[in-house]
Amino acid sequence: MNLERIYLDHAATTPLRTEVADAMREAFPAANYNPSSLHAEGRRARAVLEDARERVASLLGAARNEIIFTSSGTEADDLALLGVARAAQRGAHVVTTAIEHHAITAALDELADEGLETTVLPVDRDGRVDAAQFASALQPNTALASVMYANNEVGTVQPIAELAAIARKRGVVFHTDAVQAPSWLSLDVRELGVDLLSLSAHKCQGPKGVGLLYVRSGVPMGSILYGGGQEFGRRPGTQNVAGIAGMARALELAALERNEQSGRVAALRDRLETAICATIPDVRINGAEPRLANNLNVSFAGIESGMLLIALDLCGIAVSAGSACTSGDLEPSHVLAAMALESPWREGAIRFSLGVGTTAAQIDTVLGSLPRLVADLRRPTGQMRGEWVDSERTARGWRQKLEQY
Ligand code: PLP
């Protein structure tokens, strides 16, 4: 059994990078003060905040007053959806897709409760949105369309530039949730042609609890929090200056290393995928190209994904099953359901998400354990043979363990 932990859950979160921690430490003397204060201490904090804003804006090809710092990707998504829809005239219509993150789907439910008209676009069996279907969903009263850049579960990358161009022609504001993108895809808002774009620092080795929303100048958007005038009056609340400085550094490093890392990580992911398909029968790869370089979502028929997650965890390998857990529960995946996968594929899905620190040796270690674990879990209860199963860990034991999570 392998003792060194292998972390393959980078779509859930990434570890803070040393250079980012250093940037936050450097920011701290100034970040101890309130950037809205007029005295020297406050002005120093503001200088750090505004320096981060300039750098992030330049990475995205945006103007500094188009960057609104938030407390998370979730808040950026909520601000985009609720802020734009509520600023639109009564009777507005909002379009999104069936595979969005819960930050979007729950905000859309809220808008529907408030009486707005909503459309949720379907996807195909690979999780792709169809551009023609998107175009025909737009109505004269459509105020906003929101389509994620890349899916967090299956990694499918949507044709954002094409969809944004359709929306623009029809006078519809277009938002994209780009939270999973920074390490693997370009974030140039002019090339993408989007009006709003959400990011979260912790998906690219920045700190947790910091995000941003790019809002193209001129896009009507109300705020969803009420308080002071921070962030151009669009997001009140004292900013997390050190966290924002960390996010700027994390995004810069991600952009700098994007080409090299996406090639390297995609090659490791492909090796994992090819070997799984060659050594384990009855598997399905979920999601298709174009796909995030680090994502491999595989269904193992005849297995409950939670059981395999625990088995891998006990072998030192961290992955995710279904959607990332918010409450510690394993929820059935709305993404795999939207892709119309049959229940054995939905129930047996595991997401391996690699990161910039993933090595070939780690992938080999995973491949050394996985076929054995899958074969064992596919045996009828009581007949599991692998050395990782001791007498305490019968299928019932696994189930109980899973329930404790
Ligand atoms: N959007 C996507 C696609 C995500 O993957 C996540 C996080 O899992 C979020 C939004 C929410 O970001 P945060 O964790 O910063 O709230």
Side-chain angles (χ1 to χ4, degrees):
M1 199 167 291
N2 150 55
L3 293 175
E4 183 218 345
R5 298 284 306 172
I6 297 176
Y7 183 74
L8 295 180
D9 200 14
H10 292 84
T13 196
T14 54
L16 192 74
R17 194 176 168 144
T18 314
E19 298 94 316
V20 173
D22 289 346
M24 291 172 72
R25 220 171 281 120
E26 273 167 38
F28 248 115
N32 277 329
Y33 299 95
N34 189 327
S36 299
S37 298
L38 296 180
H39 45 62
E41 287 82 354
R43 292 199 303 276
R44 276 206 296 279
R46 173 153 296 266
V48 172
L49 178 69
E50 295 311 321
D51 172 65
R53 196 187 308 278
E54 285 285 354
R55 284 157 50 212
V56 169
S58 121
L59 280 173
L60 301 188
R64 55 172 291 285
N65 61 356
E66 294 176 319
I67 304 297
I68 312 291
F69 291 121
T70 65
S71 68
S72 60
T74 298
E75 190 195 330
D77 280 349
D78 283 7
L79 178 57
L81 232 70
L82 303 176
V84 171
R86 287 176 184 162
Q89 77 273 49
R90 281 162 66 91
H93 171 234
V94 179
V95 176
T96 127
T97 83
I99 57 163
E100 300 297 312
H101 188 270
H102 288 307
I104 293 291
T105 60
L108 192 77
D109 290 346
E110 178 64 26
L111 289 173
D113 286 349
E114 291 173 16
L116 273 85
E117 199 187 335
T118 59
T119 298
V120 177
L121 285 172
V123 292
D124 68 14
R125 273 180 79 81
D126 289 321
R128 273 193 229 96
V129 174
D130 178 66
Q133 239 171 1
F134 174 78
S136 59
L138 303 182
Q139 303 171 179
N141 62 336
T142 308
L144 173 70
S146 178
V147 179
M148 74 198 315
Y149 195 178
N151 183 262
N152 46 301
E153 289 189 43
V154 295
T156 316
V157 177
Q158 305 298 343
I160 292 303
E162 187 184 356
L163 302 179
I166 295 170
R168 178 154 298 182
K169 248 190 230 148
R170 306 276 290 274
V172 172
V173 173
F174 187 89
H175 167 251
T176 192
D177 172 343
V179 165
Q180 290 289 338
S183 297
W184 322 110
L185 302 169
S186 161
L187 293 176
D188 189 314
V189 292
R190 290 167 304 195
E191 275 171 23
L192 290 169
V194 297
D195 298 305
L196 303 115
L197 177 143
S198 306
L199 289 176
S200 174
H202 76 101
K203 305 292 184 176
C204 58
Q205 299 193 282
K208 278 156 253 310
V210 191
L212 69 85
L213 182 65
Y214 156 76
V215 187
R216 191 172 58 76
S217 146
V219 168
M221 191 186 79
S223 57
I224 56 170
L225 296 177
Y226 300 92
Q230 293 95 339
E231 299 301 299
F232 314 103
R234 290 179 138 171
R235 197 278 179 183
T238 303
Q239 295 93 338
N240 174 357
V241 176
I244 288 166
M247 174 163 64
R249 190 77 190 114
L251 286 170
E252 279 171 347
L253 291 168
L256 207 64
E257 297 171 2
R258 191 176 291 138
N259 285 345
E260 186 206 329
Q261 281 293 350
S262 19
R264 190 189 74 82
V265 170
L268 289 179
R269 184 273 313 274
D270 292 346
R271 178 157 146 200
L272 181 60
E273 176 176 328
T274 306
I276 288 175
C277 293
T279 55
I280 305 178
D282 300 323
V283 298
R284 181 187 196 277
I285 304 301
N286 303 317
E289 298 303 327
R291 199 170 30 148
L292 286 175
N294 71 326
N295 179 288
L296 178 60
N297 189 306
V298 194
S299 292
F300 301 88
I303 283 183
E304 266 178 59
S305 57
M307 306 278 264
L308 183 52
L309 181 152
I310 303 291
L312 284 164
D313 188 33
L314 291 172
C315 290
I317 301 162
V319 298
S320 126
S323 46
C325 312
T326 40
S327 58
D329 292 337
L330 286 175
E331 296 167 20
S333 161
H334 69 287
V335 173
L336 300 182
M339 288 161 62
L341 298 194
E342 295 75 14
S343 64
W345 298 134
R346 292 210 303 269
E347 285 158 16
I350 289 285
R351 179 186 67 188
F352 300 90
S353 51
L354 287 61
V356 296
T358 306
T359 63
Q362 291 180 331
I363 296 301
D364 289 343
T365 304
V366 173
L367 288 168
S369 306
L370 189 62
R372 193 164 42 91
L373 298 179
V374 171
D376 238 340
L377 286 170
R378 280 177 172 165
R379 281 183 228 284
T381 307
Q383 291 180 29
M384 292 198 249
R385 282 195 227 131
E387 64 272 21
W388 53 276
V389 182
D390 61 35
S391 55
E392 309 289 329
R393 295 192 188 123
T394 60
R396 225 174 95 245
W398 289 107
R399 210 174 290 273
Q400 279 163 358
K401 183 146 187 72
L402 187 56
E403 276 158 12
Q404 288 160 15
Y405 268 62

